[in-house]
Amino acid sequence: MADTLRSTFQRVFRFENRRRALRPGRLEKIHAFESKILGNTREITIYVPPSYSDRPEARYPVLYMQDGQNLFEPERSFIPGRHWRLLEAADAAIADRAARSMIIVGIDNAGADRVDEYTPTRDVVKEHGGRADDYGRMLIEELKPIIDAGYRTLTDRDNTAIGGSSLGGLVSLYLGLSHPDIFGSVASMSPSVWWDSRMIVRMLDRFDSSHRPRVWLDIGGREGNEALADARILRERMRAMGWNEGSFRYFEDRRADHSEVSWAKRVRNVLEFLFPPA
């Protein structure tokens, strides 16, 4: 009788574990999030991992991602139907224990103001750019306190990451280098190194901090020769400055172009680098 009960209990336990493993993460919203610093509003989408409700004592690292429209919902993506499938990627990495459970905050870009907010300097010819510092203040002073107050987050730099692609990759790397005391990890995917005659490379040359963020840097082989060369320049500069195997990952996807579909294919690898299993 005891053996029968034990066997039944084990089957139920295994089934419950499988059921929990299959349970997806969920998306929550902050509608019309208002920034007084930037003087505009935007939507914020928060990915909450599957274990969040089951483990009320647990706290989670956080990834702040740019261009939130493109990450989770196909109908809101820049090209409808072509999104990053970030919820699915996070769920899969967590279920396979290839990454720690994390909270992901998708920050919508501001449409016409996107170029201004995602670039550190002003292009006097194009008459655009130069509000990345204000954007960083919005993230650090306005949004992060709300996320930390509303969710069970780990608030220290080692558990706070920032990421994005294209101009979003540029601003993420810029803010990671500008605020290494806040952001312990950076994902810079297909970054716009070209902006302002490679100003991000010049900034990197001046980097001098005891806090060195871990950095994922990638590029697609079909993004053009200039983009590929720029990414390689950034790679060599970082290696020369002491970023090593443990703190830096560079990846070239030879068949990838500059698109949401290409970034979706490698974003799981990004999550696994940013949040390796303990």
Side-chain angles (χ1 to χ4, degrees):
M1 181 67 175
D3 289 341
T4 301
L5 288 174
R6 186 180 300 110
S7 177
T8 301
F9 173 79
Q10 289 173 344
R11 286 197 301 271
V12 170
F13 182 77
R14 286 195 296 268
F15 174 79
E16 180 64 15
N17 276 349
R18 286 196 299 271
R19 187 186 67 82
R20 290 182 178 181
L22 292 172
R23 182 188 305 164
R26 67 178 187 271
L27 300 180
E28 299 184 355
K29 297 282 188 178
I30 300 176
H31 296 288
F33 169 78
E34 181 178 7
S35 169
K36 293 181 179 179
I37 293 170
L38 294 172
N40 56 26
T41 62
R42 71 194 70 214
E43 186 162 295
I44 308 295
T45 306
I46 302 104
Y47 164 84
V48 182
S51 64
Y52 192 86
S53 298
D54 296 330
R55 301 175 58 201
E57 78 291 347
R59 291 188 172 272
Y60 297 85
V62 183
L63 168 60
Y64 291 89
M65 286 288 292
Q66 319 323 313
D67 291 312
Q69 295 99 322
N70 298 327
L71 304 179
F72 302 107
E73 300 151 294
E75 67 277 7
R76 295 210 308 129
S77 187
F78 178 69
I79 299 177
R82 298 187 178 185
H83 63 305
W84 287 39
R85 298 180 61 85
L86 188 52
L87 182 150
E88 293 83 355
D91 279 356
I94 293 167
D96 291 343
R97 299 184 180 180
R100 288 182 293 155
S101 295
M102 81 295 290
I103 291 169
I104 304 173
V105 180
I107 308 163
D108 274 21
N109 67 58
D113 293 330
R114 177 179 183 269
V115 174
D116 288 340
E117 293 181 357
Y118 284 6
T119 51
T121 54
R122 184 165 182 80
D123 187 315
V124 294
V125 176
K126 297 180 180 179
E127 297 185 346
H128 278 301
R131 296 205 70 188
D133 287 320
D134 290 335
Y135 182 80
R137 286 186 57 213
M138 175 277 291
L139 203 162
I140 294 167
E141 298 175 20
E142 296 179 322
L143 179 57
K144 187 175 186 297
I146 289 174
I147 298 300
D148 289 339
Y151 294 88
R152 300 193 309 275
T153 63
L154 294 166
T155 62
D156 61 294
R157 67 175 300 275
D158 288 340
N159 290 288
T160 305
I162 186 169
S165 64
S166 193
L167 285 175
L170 173 67
V171 74
S172 296
L173 183 56
Y174 175 77
L175 293 177
L177 296 174
S178 299
H179 303 280
D181 56 324
I182 302 293
F183 302 108
S185 298
V186 176
S188 186
M189 304 176 71
S190 303
S192 300
V193 180
W194 55 267
W195 181 264
D196 191 12
S197 302
R198 301 186 181 125
M199 66 74 53
I200 193 66
V201 177
R202 301 194 300 274
M203 179 190 182
L204 181 63
D205 288 340
R206 299 191 302 270
F207 181 79
D208 182 20
S209 173
S210 58
H211 297 303
R212 184 188 296 272
R214 299 173 70 248
V215 176
W216 169 286
L217 171 65
D218 69 23
I219 195 71
R222 295 179 178 174
E223 295 190 49
N225 292 334
E226 183 178 353
L228 194 59
D230 284 348
R232 289 173 176 173
I233 289 171
L234 202 55
R235 173 194 66 187
E236 294 309 311
R237 228 32 154 259
M238 296 190 73
R239 287 176 175 171
M241 293 186 68
W243 267 268
N244 56 35
E245 185 69 23
S247 60
F248 179 61
R249 186 73 53 83
Y250 177 78
F251 179 68
E252 287 184 9
D253 187 344
R254 294 185 178 182
R255 298 182 178 181
D257 59 9
H258 197 82
S259 70
E260 316 302 334
V261 172
S262 290
W263 298 319
K265 290 179 179 178
R266 57 187 191 258
V267 72
R268 173 174 169 170
N269 293 333
V270 174
L271 296 176
E272 292 174 4
F273 171 80
L274 296 178
F275 305 106

